[in-house]
Amino acid sequence: MSSPHNSAEIGDIAERVLLPGDPVRAKVIAKNFLDEVKQYTEIRNIYGFTGKYKGVPVSIQSTGMGIPSFSIYVHELIHVYGAKKLIRIGTCGGMHKDLNLREVLIAQGASTDSSIVERTFGGAINFSLLADFDLLSKSVINARNLNIPVKVGNVLCTDRFYNDYNDANGTYSSGGLTLNQKMIQHGILAVEMESAALYLLAAAAQVQALAIFTVSDHVIKKEYTTAEERETDFNDMVKVALETVIQK
Ligand code: HPA
């Protein structure tokens, strides 16, 4: 038996899964970091691989971009294939001035402009979207042991890559501040597009989840990395994610 969007058979996907958005990146990570790699799906060119990292079975499942695409793959990973530890690895846009290009950021919490949380709780509760504490604390220790500096904090998970949150006359300016300025004032470090769905789906199913990012651009400082830089920058984050996902 497979699922509507994944041709893996039950048992083909490990309980420990890394989740990059980009299928090609999934392939490169599987090739460069895992042993005994097998590809289990290529439906829609959204590739998935299982291999071993330091002898432990790990899958790398690409998800596409944004909450709707991501949620389809992660729902099926959890509810059809039995995934138990899920770590998103992706890029984010820095917002806070202290965040620099190429840095690794771990999302302790996710704030969102998506309606998924509101809809889940009938609008009655602003449910806090949190990283799994065990994965979060292990990832920070693993990064330290690998000499990889990380920042930890709250991120904005947005539904729109192109929005007007930086615009003084934007729909969402508040108290004389743009929405971006207001969020930064409240400690939001960066913006990305999937973590809220990951933390919500994981909470609902009581499985462990964490989102780790590399800062690929800075939306306030208007700085950008090149595609080649992103390729090498990604490795630090992958190492932290792999060391964390295989731990007991
Ligand atoms: N916005 C949203 N998601 C992102 C960004 C961004 O600037 N950079 C990487 N992912």
Side-chain angles (χ1 to χ4, degrees):
M1 193 191 92
S2 57
S3 70
H5 308 92
N6 199 318
S7 56
E9 297 293 327
I10 307 297
D12 284 348
I13 304 181
E15 287 189 358
R16 300 155 198 265
V17 189
L18 299 197
L19 302 162
D22 179 356
V24 175
R25 201 165 264 154
K27 186 188 265 184
V28 171
I29 294 166
K31 180 170 158 280
N32 290 348
F33 287 90
L34 301 186
D35 303 316
E36 300 172 39
V37 176
K38 276 200 199 124
Q39 182 167 355
Y40 56 74
T41 188
E42 57 176 7
I43 294 181
R44 288 175 184 257
N45 286 331
I46 294 286
Y47 308 142
F49 306 87
T50 299
K52 286 190 176 168
Y53 182 72
K54 298 189 174 173
V56 180
V58 174
S59 294
I60 318 274
Q61 174 63 54
S62 51
T63 63
M65 292 181 286
I67 287 173
S69 176
F70 181 89
S71 299
I72 289 170
Y73 295 100
V74 172
H75 177 98
E76 292 173 4
L77 285 172
I78 294 171
H79 294 285
V80 179
Y81 298 104
K84 297 280 187 257
K85 284 182 199 272
L86 301 105
I87 302 186
R88 154 106 181 120
I89 44 172
T91 56
C92 67
M95 289 174 62
H96 201 278
K97 66 174 171 23
D98 292 347
L99 211 64
N100 298 308
L101 290 187
R102 291 179 278 278
E103 270 187 316
V104 177
L105 169 66
I106 303 176
Q108 178 181 13
S111 302
T112 189
D113 58 16
S114 161
S115 62
I116 55 169
V117 180
E118 200 181 323
R119 293 274 161 83
T120 300
F121 293 95
I125 303 291
N126 287 319
F127 184 73
S128 296
L129 298 165
L130 303 176
D132 175 74
F133 182 74
D134 182 51
L135 290 182
L136 176 64
S137 52
K138 284 185 169 121
S139 67
V140 173
I141 293 166
N142 288 331
R144 203 170 289 150
N145 291 341
L146 290 162
N147 263 325
I148 296 168
V150 290
K151 295 216 163 81
V152 179
N154 202 350
V155 301
L156 170 69
C157 181
T158 185
D159 269 343
R160 292 185 298 168
F161 187 90
Y162 300 104
N163 58 47
D164 61 0
Y165 297 168
N166 233 355
D167 185 348
N169 301 312
T171 328
Y172 300 98
S173 61
S174 155
L177 299 177
T178 67
L179 189 61
N180 272 350
Q181 288 167 335
K182 194 90 181 179
M183 286 189 283
I184 293 162
Q185 188 190 59
H186 285 73
I188 296 283
L189 298 175
V191 57
E192 52 79 47
M193 301 186 70
E194 294 83 14
S195 62
L198 177 61
Y199 290 177
L200 185 64
L201 287 164
Q206 291 291 290
V207 297
Q208 293 181 273
L210 183 68
I212 309 182
F213 307 98
T214 304
V215 181
S216 61
D217 55 282
H218 200 291
V219 300
I220 308 296
K221 298 185 205 166
K222 305 279 181 212
E223 296 170 342
Y224 308 90
T225 53
T226 63
E228 301 87 72
E229 281 172 329
R230 288 200 289 277
E231 196 71 28
T232 43
D233 296 345
F234 225 69
N235 288 341
D236 279 352
M237 169 179 59
V238 173
K239 282 181 210 156
V240 174
L242 281 169
E243 290 297 334
T244 303
V245 85
I246 63 166
Q247 278 179 286
K248 278 241 177 330

